[in-house]
Structure formats: structure tokens, C-alpha cells
Amino acid sequence: KQEVTQIPAALSVPEGENLVLNCSFTDSAIYNLQWFRQDPGKGLTSLLLIQSSQREQTSGRLNASLDKSSGRSTLYIAASQPGDSATYLCAVSGGYNKLIFGAGTRLAVHP
Amino acid sequence: DVKVTQSSRYLVKRTGEKVFLECVQDMDHENMFWYRQDPGLGLRLIYFSYDVKMKEKGDIPEGYSVSREKKERFSLILESASTNQTSMYLCASSSSGGGLSEAFFGQGTRLTVV
């Protein structure tokens, strides 16, 4: 059974730091991996999708990498801002594109 | 802009009531999903549908049913609401494109059963 783990569970940093959030999964038979952002009490916003054949994707200050063989992904956030404060979730996609989620990393960026 | 819309942001229902949560997507997606999110337990899949009138159980289907009569609409039904169904419910949709398929979520419904 697929299991997704995110480390760290929580992170508090000063504005301007570069950050790395980690995600690992146990079964490499995935269609893709998605990173989401969730603000308190809200739904999920898709940040990046990496197909299983890809190594990385970039969007603005965000870069996500995927090493399928080792079951790892990282989300890199450059020059963090207070507006980046949120919970970040990674999810892997299997049959019927069902998503299996990690527990998330709660990020706080303080001015 | 792609959109998944859930009918309510907040709901308060009484124990034993039949509750309907509605979800509509405007992207012509084949797949639709219902998740619930609880502190310490993360997001768990309740039911999903890969086509009109087709449905499959997820990890925690007990106490729930679903309906998909039209492609754009996926309803979650709590047959007899109980307090342990107090939760955040999230609807999602995606195409059937395998690795290219990106999931999009609604804004969530916070359900409280009293």
C-alpha cells in the first residue's frame, strides 16, 4: 500500500530564506506527483505537477524535483515571503488518478 | 480559469439527518473525487467516480454514498449524519490523462454534525 511521508512537519523561517520541503513515497508505480498549497480553512491549490517521466518542474520561485526510483520529491521555495505561509501537501497519483497525500508541512515565514 | 465549486462553505446538521454535499466542475473532467480532511489523519478518499453513473469506494466509504448523474456534478450523501462525520469535505476533479492529469479542488465544505 502506497504511503507518503513529508518532512518536516512544521517549519518557521525568517523572510528571504530559501527552503526545501521533502516528500517520500513507498511505491514508485505512480502516474505523477503534485504539490499543493492549503491556506487555513480553505481548499487545495495546485502548485506543480511532475509526470513520472520528468525530473523537475518550475513555476516562479518554486521548483519541484522527482526521483521516482528512490521515491523522493523536494519542493524548493526561493526567497521566501510571509505570503508563502501555508500548509504544503504532496500527493502521488495512481490508478484512476486517485491521489494519496502526505500529512503536509506547515510553513510560517515571519517578516 | 478552471473551477470546482462546492455548494456550501459551512453546514450545520443534526444527528440522523440526511445530508447532501454537491460538487460541480466546469472542465469536462472524467474523474471526480470526495475526500475528507481531519487533523492528524490528513486527507482520506471516501468515493470516486471515473464516468457518469460509475462509482468506486475509496478508503473510508462507510456511512456515505455518492451520485453522479451528469458528468459535471458529483454528490456526496450522508445517509444518517453522525457526530463522527464532522469534518472538512473536499471535492476534486481530474481528466483521465494518466501522468498529464492534474487534480483541481473545490474550496471545501466544513460540516458540523450536532
Side-chain angles (χ1 to χ4, degrees):
Chain A
K1 183 183 172 185
Q2 179 75 269
E3 291 183 4
V4 181
T5 303
Q6 290 187 247
I7 294 173
L11 192 58
S12 180
V13 300
E15 182 176 6
E17 278 205 7
N18 300 324
L19 309 170
V20 176
L21 309 183
N22 297 291
C23 173
S24 62
F25 48 96
T26 56
D27 186 348
S28 62
I30 62 171
Y31 286 154
N32 60 46
L33 184 145
Q34 272 187 263
W35 283 93
F36 295 90
R37 169 186 172 134
Q38 186 176 31
D39 293 293
K42 301 287 180 64
L44 277 63
T45 300
S46 179
L47 297 173
L48 289 165
L49 177 145
I50 312 177
Q51 296 177 56
S52 62
S53 58
Q54 295 177 322
R55 299 286 289 184
E56 68 177 325
Q57 281 288 340
T58 298
S59 176
R61 293 183 293 110
L62 305 178
N63 175 275
S65 67
L66 174 64
D67 184 342
K68 200 175 80 157
S69 61
S70 67
R72 295 176 190 270
S73 177
T74 61
L75 178 67
Y76 177 82
I77 304 175
S80 59
Q81 303 171 357
D84 294 330
S85 298
T87 297
Y88 290 80
L89 295 155
C90 81
V92 296
S93 172
Y96 292 111
N97 292 107
K98 292 184 293 180
L99 291 175
I100 299 166
F101 285 85
T105 294
R106 193 169 62 254
L107 172 65
V109 181
H110 47 89
Chain B
D1 242 8
V2 297
K3 198 162 250 189
V4 178
T5 304
Q6 294 181 228
S7 52
S8 304
R9 286 294 311 278
Y10 301 95
L11 275 179
V12 180
K13 297 292 182 180
R14 294 194 180 279
T15 302
E17 276 193 75
K18 191 168 186 176
V19 181
F20 294 84
L21 303 183
E22 308 284 347
C23 176
V24 177
Q25 51 98 0
D26 65 359
M27 295 163 282
D28 201 35
H29 283 165
E30 292 80 12
N31 302 326
M32 295 188 75
F33 309 85
W34 277 106
Y35 293 85
R36 65 177 281 178
Q37 185 177 31
D38 301 286
L41 296 175
L43 279 101
R44 295 177 291 167
L45 181 64
I46 305 171
Y47 265 98
F48 69 98
S49 168
Y50 55 88
D51 201 351
V52 175
K53 297 191 186 292
M54 305 305 290
K55 57 188 178 185
E56 294 284 343
K57 294 178 181 178
D59 299 319
I60 50 164
E62 297 78 19
Y64 303 94
S65 62
V66 290
S67 173
R68 193 166 181 202
E69 296 296 318
K70 293 186 177 181
K71 191 175 185 181
E72 67 271 18
R73 187 178 297 270
F74 192 36
S75 301
L76 180 70
I77 303 156
L78 286 66
E79 298 291 342
S80 177
S82 64
T83 54
N84 63 12
Q85 291 178 311
T86 292
S87 185
M88 171 72 103
Y89 290 87
L90 292 158
C91 174
S93 73
S94 69
S95 69
S96 58
L100 291 170
S101 179
E102 185 175 3
F104 296 91
F105 280 78
Q107 76 275 30
T109 296
R110 171 74 65 184
L111 173 67
T112 303
V113 182
V114 298

